[in-house]
Amino acid sequence: MSDMTTQTAAALFEPGGRRRHRKPRQHGTGMRRALVLAMAVPVASVALSGPSAFAAGKDTGATAKTATLDADDQQMVTNLETRVVDTRLGSNVSGVVLDAESDATLWDHNGATALMPASNVKLATATGALTVLGTDHRFTTKVVYGDGRLTLVGGGDRTLTSADLAELAKTAVDGLKAAGLTSVKVAVDDSLFPAPSLANGWNTGYYPDSVAPVRALVVDGHGVDDTSLDAGQVFAQQLAANGVTVDGAVTRATASAHDVPVARHTSAPLSDIVHTMLKKSDNNIAETLLRMTALGAGRPATFEAGTEVVRQVLSERYGVSLTGFEMYDGSGLSRADRIPAATLAEILELLTQNRYAQTLGSILDGLPVSGEAGSTLGPEWGRFDDAHSQCAVGKVHAKTGTLTGAIALSGLTQGKDGKWKVFSFIENGSTANANDIKDAMDGLAATVNGCWA
């Protein structure tokens, strides 16, 4: 979606331009949670170890609201009850549909059951990163010099390109030549991210293709075992192309505090990076953001610290239920991850509130759109292309999730009544062809939209 589209959507999400505080919601048909939180603002370098880090008052005496369905919603619910038992989806499937305007849960089918969510985990990762680091946060890659050595220092920029390294090399060469130096050693410093570089629950077949071992330095998204040395070798080649002799092989070293800064590159803002991550479902960006989120909260850049910070952001900042929530990585590749559909719907429902638009707007903007070429809901992936779901092309904004044995689709769409609905569908264990399962999922989203009546 364009920025203009995002602004229009936000206005449609907010009837009258305001939203009352929400009350805690129980997972179940006709029940809806409510948020009672302080204004959402980016939180930079906040330690989350204390209970007051994301403190917000809560109206614990509130009661949840029961839905009263109009004719359109009743038809949608009737259709969902029939279509959720589609044999393509198997027997282990869950789903939730929320109404963004009425505070009601319109439909719930095992919504509190924690299932393997695949890449829907990225919704939690993005929420944590944007909240802790802020939308304008940028990642910095540096070159420093000392003792005859240039050190390329990784700063967690997963979008670094060879063109960026070429600019760093050119600046470094200009400095070397000005100092009368024609040869130099080259090292890489990726100490920002400690070991381990592989998450609990990753199959060996996932890396380095689906996800590379997580390091603080990478170039052009290369899927290799050691992305840091790979980036250093590209940097060394560019130094040589600019007339400087590289002495020996690229090594790994830790930059000294006495090293002289030579060059630096800053990434695009985090909002742009999140947009790309969601559109493409980029596993490597997600894992890097998880590590950087931990650092931004004053924690070590590990899987464990990153997931703990995300949990605290969701629960303490936004009031999202974490019952059954198990997160071991940032991408959703971990087969140990478990998230209920109801929790994913709660995360997405934050996007319908104007007070979070500045912080979380790039999540809404980054959600793939049904039929959008170049996204994970594009025609190249066979999405929204059958007789039942084609009617919803351009009308569904949702995050996909696909692993062997787990397919998910969670997002937003305007219902037949013109009101925005938030939905989440997850299946685990279906033995049907993956494309057939996705067709069934797309059909559920078209049902929520109301075009498949």
Side-chain angles (χ1 to χ4, degrees):
M1 286 185 289
S2 66
D3 291 339
M4 182 176 297
T5 304
T6 303
Q7 293 169 3
T8 302
L12 289 172
F13 284 140
E14 295 292 333
R18 57 186 298 223
R19 177 176 289 274
R20 62 184 177 278
H21 285 306
R22 304 258 174 124
K23 303 180 179 66
R25 180 175 72 87
Q26 301 175 9
H27 297 325
T29 301
M31 306 299 287
R32 184 73 181 272
R33 71 169 178 82
L35 296 175
V36 280
L37 302 163
M39 294 295 290
V41 293
V43 181
S45 301
V46 176
L48 299 183
S49 57
S52 62
F54 286 109
K58 296 188 178 182
D59 181 5
T60 56
T63 57
K65 183 176 179 180
T66 301
T68 300
L69 302 182
D70 60 23
D72 290 329
D73 287 339
Q74 184 59 65
Q75 184 61 56
M76 175 193 69
V77 168
T78 299
N79 290 339
L80 285 173
E81 287 295 332
T82 299
R83 294 164 188 171
V84 77
V85 295
D86 187 318
T87 56
R88 293 174 295 179
L89 294 172
S91 59
N92 195 13
V93 59
S94 65
V96 169
V97 179
L98 312 180
D99 185 280
E101 181 176 330
S102 68
D103 290 342
T105 296
L106 303 177
W107 179 76
D108 186 316
H109 179 84
N110 302 323
T113 301
L115 297 178
M116 186 162 43
S119 282
N120 277 206
V121 166
K122 293 183 177 74
L123 295 170
T125 302
T127 302
L130 289 165
T131 303
V132 172
L133 299 173
T135 59
D136 294 328
H137 184 86
R138 297 170 187 263
F139 306 107
T140 302
T141 305
K142 301 183 294 184
V143 178
V144 298
Y145 177 82
D147 297 326
R149 183 183 69 197
L150 284 176
T151 303
L152 181 65
V153 183
D157 180 6
R158 241 303 172 161
T159 64
L160 189 72
T161 68
S162 54
D164 298 329
L165 284 186
E167 287 297 320
L168 289 172
K170 183 179 183 303
T171 302
V173 167
D174 289 343
L176 290 172
K177 289 183 177 179
L181 299 174
T182 58
S183 67
V184 68
K185 297 180 184 295
V186 174
V188 294
D189 180 352
D190 62 356
S191 58
L192 188 66
F193 292 177
S197 60
L198 304 175
N200 177 36
W202 284 1
N203 284 350
T204 55
Y206 290 164
Y207 47 86
D209 296 328
S210 294
V211 65
V214 185
R215 306 184 193 278
L217 184 60
V218 65
V219 62
D220 292 332
H222 287 169
V224 295
D225 286 323
D226 195 327
T227 59
S228 299
L229 286 178
D230 175 68
Q233 289 160 1
V234 172
F235 180 64
Q237 293 165 5
Q238 291 166 338
L239 290 172
N242 280 275
V244 169
T245 299
V246 175
D247 183 8
V250 176
T251 59
R252 182 176 266 104
T254 301
S256 166
H258 302 293
D259 287 348
V260 178
V262 172
R264 60 189 293 130
H265 169 78
T266 55
S267 71
L270 177 59
S271 57
D272 290 354
I273 294 173
V274 165
H275 180 278
T276 298
M277 177 188 74
L278 295 175
K279 287 289 184 189
K280 307 288 187 180
S281 200
D282 191 301
N283 297 319
N284 292 299
I285 290 178
E287 297 304 340
T288 300
L289 292 187
L290 185 71
R291 300 285 187 116
M292 296 306 292
T293 299
L295 281 176
R299 304 291 303 280
T302 63
F303 291 106
E304 292 78 9
T307 55
E308 182 179 342
V309 170
V310 169
R311 288 178 60 90
Q312 288 186 279
V313 168
L314 293 175
S315 177
E316 298 177 23
R317 182 60 165 174
Y318 297 115
V320 172
S321 170
L322 296 183
T323 302
F325 184 101
E326 297 181 36
M327 180 178 175
Y328 294 91
D329 64 358
S331 64
L333 282 174
S334 174
R335 303 192 68 82
D337 291 337
R338 296 292 185 274
I339 303 180
T343 298
L344 290 168
E346 287 188 54
I347 295 172
L348 283 163
E349 196 235 358
L350 299 173
L351 308 182
T352 72
Q353 302 184 51
N354 273 345
R355 57 179 164 167
Y356 303 133
Q358 182 176 359
T359 303
L360 305 179
S362 58
I363 299 178
L364 176 62
D365 189 46
L367 289 176
V369 180
S370 49
E372 178 187 19
S375 79
T376 56
L377 282 182
E380 62 269 39
W381 296 101
R383 303 307 297 260
F384 289 86
D385 62 354
D386 71 3
H388 300 308
S389 63
Q390 278 183 325
C391 63
V393 167
K395 300 176 182 178
V396 174
H397 310 266
K399 182 69 195 75
T400 56
T402 305
L403 284 177
T404 301
I407 291 180
L409 186 67
S410 301
L412 308 100
T413 186
Q414 280 182 287
K416 192 174 182 180
D417 56 7
K419 298 177 182 178
W420 283 94
K421 319 292 183 186
V422 179
F423 66 84
S424 178
F425 305 113
I426 309 172
E427 72 77 21
N428 280 187
S430 172
T431 57
N433 178 276
N435 290 330
D436 292 337
I437 299 171
K438 292 173 185 177
D439 284 343
M441 284 273 186
D442 295 347
L444 294 179
T447 302
V448 177
N449 175 262
C451 68
W452 183 19

